[in-house]
Amino acid sequence: MASLKTIRRDDRGQLLLVGAFILAILLVALAVVLNAAVYTETLAARGSDRVDVSDTVQYRADTERALTGLVASVNENATTSRDDAEATLRAGVTDWDAVSARQQAATGRATSVTVTDVDAVTTVSQTNDSLTFTNASAASDWTVVENVTDTGPFTLSVASTDTEIPPANATDVATLDSQAFHVEVTNSTTTWQVFVFRSGPNLTVAVASSGSLDPYTYETTYVAGDPVELDFTNARIDGTPAPNLAFYEGVSGPSSVAISNGANAAGSYTLVVDGDVVSPDDYSNDPEAGPTARAVLTRLDVTLRYELANLRYEAPISVTAGGNDV
């Protein structure tokens, strides 16, 4: 009699085939699940990176706007001293950096803004051409600026002068030095004197270098109130090339600009230099009452740092300003 427990060989083959098929399905499903998990994590990481980069760009833009506003604010205060203007600016950057760093730290970000360089110029002007060329205290001989390392625009307009030098003495430097209104530019080796005076019917401009008069002399018919315009920067007088003023652009090393016999002429001027006033007391707060002086910040350089756990950003930032104030 045949046993009821006997299993046919072809049935066992079918069971093995079904089992292999089920195992294959499980492996495919597992691969799909793992791939989905990895893909989701990658997208999340990429999304986070994009947010971090966007925040960095925004922080830099906010910093540039803040620094631009800070420089403009210091310039609006019209500080006479470049050192005072720079100190105020550096203090402002430090304060802004501290406040900003606290705000960023609350979201896990470390930031800093460090000043690396500051450029400033001094601009001196007298706009009321009915005033003499004395300082605010009516001193006739005074130093306008000192420690000049670079010169910018310098124009001077003489509207009138009561000093008349006889033609016989018009080439005597000692006489001109003691009587005629003049501007003195001095460095470590040379003193240039630019004299403006009446001689006969003419208004004369003459230049001496270390006591020797330059052979070029400019003359025009003198009419009170009809100004003669001296452009030191471009070496021109009343628009005419004046080779004896060409020295100004070539002055090297620390130098100074002074006025002598300022009470002997009246007019206006504008001077921009990389230098300093000698004393704020030489200047007036009222442009109608005397010369004025102010320090103008022209450039601020800083280093910006922005750090996260997965990102570190460092870059220089430069803010230029003062173009409308010079």
Side-chain angles (χ1 to χ4, degrees), residues 130-144:
S130 68
L131 298 174
T132 62
F133 291 104
T134 61
N135 69 0
S137 302
S140 194
D141 301 325
W142 60 292
T143 300
V144 182

Side-chain angles (χ1 to χ4, degrees), residues 28-312:
V28 171
L30 180 60
V32 170
V33 171
L34 290 175
N35 186 63
V38 171
Y39 179 71
T40 302
E41 183 177 351
T42 301
L43 285 181
R46 288 179 180 174
S48 176
D49 288 345
R50 279 194 287 267
V51 170
D52 292 340
V53 171
S54 176
D55 288 347
T56 303
V57 172
Q58 184 62 50
Y59 178 72
R60 174 174 178 143
D62 291 343
T63 301
E64 289 191 62
R65 280 194 296 269
L67 297 179
T68 300
L70 180 60
V71 170
S73 176
V74 175
N75 283 341
E76 287 173 2
N77 288 333
T79 305
T80 303
S81 166
R82 290 193 304 160
D83 287 343
D84 290 347
E86 180 174 342
T88 301
L89 178 65
R90 287 180 178 272
V93 173
T94 298
D95 291 343
W96 186 87
D97 177 46
V99 172
S100 175
R102 285 196 297 270
Q103 293 175 340
Q104 295 295 327
T107 58
R109 293 162 172 81
T111 64
S112 69
V113 177
T114 306
V115 176
T116 56
D117 193 25
V118 178
D119 289 339
V121 297
T122 298
T123 175
V124 178
S125 64
Q126 179 165 286
T127 56
N128 185 347
D129 60 11
S130 68
L131 298 174
T132 62
F133 291 104
T134 61
N135 69 0
S137 302
S140 194
D141 301 325
W142 60 292
T143 300
V144 182
V145 286
E146 62 181 359
N147 302 322
V148 175
T149 57
D150 193 17
T151 58
F154 182 16
T155 58
L156 183 144
S157 173
V158 179
S160 62
T161 176
D162 294 330
T163 303
E164 184 170 1
I165 307 295
N169 296 329
T171 59
D172 181 30
V173 175
T175 299
L176 298 178
D177 182 47
S178 63
Q179 299 181 31
F181 159 73
H182 59 282
V183 174
E184 288 191 357
V185 180
T186 304
N187 66 6
S188 60
T189 61
T190 309
T191 295
W192 294 268
Q193 297 169 293
V194 182
F195 301 100
V196 183
F197 57 94
R198 290 170 59 188
S199 182
N202 295 324
L203 184 69
T204 301
V205 180
V207 178
S209 173
S210 294
S212 298
L213 204 65
D214 189 286
Y216 174 90
T217 298
Y218 176 84
E219 291 185 336
T220 184
T221 302
Y222 176 72
V223 178
D226 187 8
V228 58
E229 307 283 348
L230 283 71
D231 183 346
F232 286 76
T233 310
N234 297 303
R236 303 180 79 84
I237 301 175
D238 282 341
T240 300
N244 56 354
L245 291 184
F247 76 88
Y248 186 73
E249 279 295 278
V251 176
S252 61
S255 59
S256 63
V257 178
I259 287 177
S260 294
N261 301 323
N264 294 347
S268 58
Y269 56 92
T270 298
L271 169 67
V272 179
V273 293
D274 183 1
D276 306 299
V277 301
V278 176
S279 171
D281 294 337
D282 289 331
Y283 301 94
S284 172
N285 293 323
D286 180 5
E288 292 299 311
T292 60
R294 61 181 301 196
V296 178
L297 300 168
T298 56
R299 184 182 181 93
L300 168 63
D301 293 336
V302 304
T303 297
L304 177 147
R305 294 182 178 86
Y306 187 93
E307 296 184 22
L308 285 167
N310 62 334
L311 183 147
R312 187 176 190 276

Side-chain angles (χ1 to χ4, degrees), residues 8-43:
R8 295 174 57 184
R9 292 179 180 178
D10 56 349
D11 292 337
R12 287 199 300 269
Q14 290 178 356
L15 289 174
L16 289 174
L17 182 61
V18 170
F21 183 70
I22 293 173
L23 181 60
I25 292 175
L26 290 174
L27 289 174
V28 171
L30 180 60
V32 170
V33 171
L34 290 175
N35 186 63
V38 171
Y39 179 71
T40 302
E41 183 177 351
T42 301
L43 285 181

